Amino acid sequence: MTGKIIGGIIGAMVAGPWGAVIGATIGHFSIDSKSGEGAGQNQFLILMCEASAKIAKSKGVIKKEEIAELESIFKELRLDSEARKRAIGYFRSAKNSPRSLNEIAEDFAAHFPSLDARQTFITVLIRIALADGALQSEEMRELRMACAALKIDPSILSGLGGTRNSSSSAHSSSESQDLAEAYAVLGVKPDASLDEIKTIYRKKCKDLHPDVLRSKGLGEFAMKAIEAELVKVNDAYERIMKARR
């Protein structure tokens, strides 16, 4: 129960698909699960790894960059060695599973109906898809179908598409993806006005201020996660301001 409460607090404060991971992490994967917390954590891992395998294999071959990104996500979720071993097993067994990503996403939404949980799920898929630096049409199609199954606005995929061949265009693509992520971290649309962006940024900084959060009695684990999120918010704001000069 404590995990759910903390996850709800943080998830509410940190808007946008990239920030939603914090809510799921602190909530120990049990956000709105129909089963117990332990079972909810395991179900989250199973579905996350199944979906990651599907999006990684959508181009035909799973690349080392995608595996590395999944390992990075495991670290962020602070999986212990046993949970990590199980997660890798789920990923491997899902590679040749007959289940489609759409079916997995629908299953996830049924088990974890909260918006924070669904945003977390699509965030993981986006990160895996972008791991090799080039979002292919097959990946975009799968992500759009996943958004529909999860009932998430597909506009979060804006600016992420397109395969580039030359080194200069690849660099441009990377910058575009970084900027799209920056807008997502702040929870604003790319066409938002400068005043709107500044207002939202200031509010986030206030909501994530350590003194404010300590008064809520959050533990050390939660505080470290929130401090990391505040760094992301500041970095995102700086990237957006730089792009708008």
Side-chain angles (χ1 to χ4, degrees), residues 46-58 62 66 70 73-74 91 101 104 121 124-125 128:
I46 291 172
L47 295 172
M48 183 191 80
C49 292
E50 277 190 309
S52 296
K54 293 300 179 183
I55 195 69
K57 199 177 179 182
S58 62
I62 296 177
E66 293 161 335
L70 187 63
I73 291 169
F74 290 164
F91 182 86
L101 178 57
I104 297 168
F121 192 74
V124 169
L125 298 186
I128 297 296

Side-chain angles (χ1 to χ4, degrees), residues 192-207:
S193 69
L194 200 58
D195 286 342
E196 182 181 356
I197 291 171
K198 288 181 178 179
T199 298
I200 291 175
Y201 167 68
R202 291 185 188 117
K203 183 178 186 305
K204 280 188 174 292
C205 287
K206 180 180 178 181
D207 290 341

Side-chain angles (χ1 to χ4, degrees), residues 56-134:
K57 199 177 179 182
S58 62
K59 290 184 290 189
V61 179
I62 296 177
K63 297 183 177 181
K64 62 181 181 180
E65 292 90 350
E66 293 161 335
I67 298 295
E69 186 64 27
L70 187 63
E71 288 282 5
S72 177
I73 291 169
F74 290 164
K75 288 180 182 179
E76 288 175 23
L77 295 179
R78 290 173 168 80
L79 299 186
D80 58 33
S81 59
E82 186 59 36
R84 180 182 170 279
K85 191 181 298 181
R86 289 202 312 271
I88 292 172
Y90 300 147
F91 182 86
R92 287 175 177 168
S93 62
K95 287 189 293 185
N96 298 313
S97 164
R99 291 227 296 171
S100 68
L101 178 57
N102 189 62
E103 291 173 313
I104 297 168
E106 288 179 343
D107 195 4
F108 184 90
H111 280 85
F112 303 92
S114 80
L115 178 60
D116 285 337
R118 288 179 283 120
Q119 285 183 329
T120 298
F121 192 74
I122 198 66
T123 296
V124 169
L125 298 186
I126 290 171
R127 287 180 58 176
I128 297 296
L130 291 174
D132 62 356

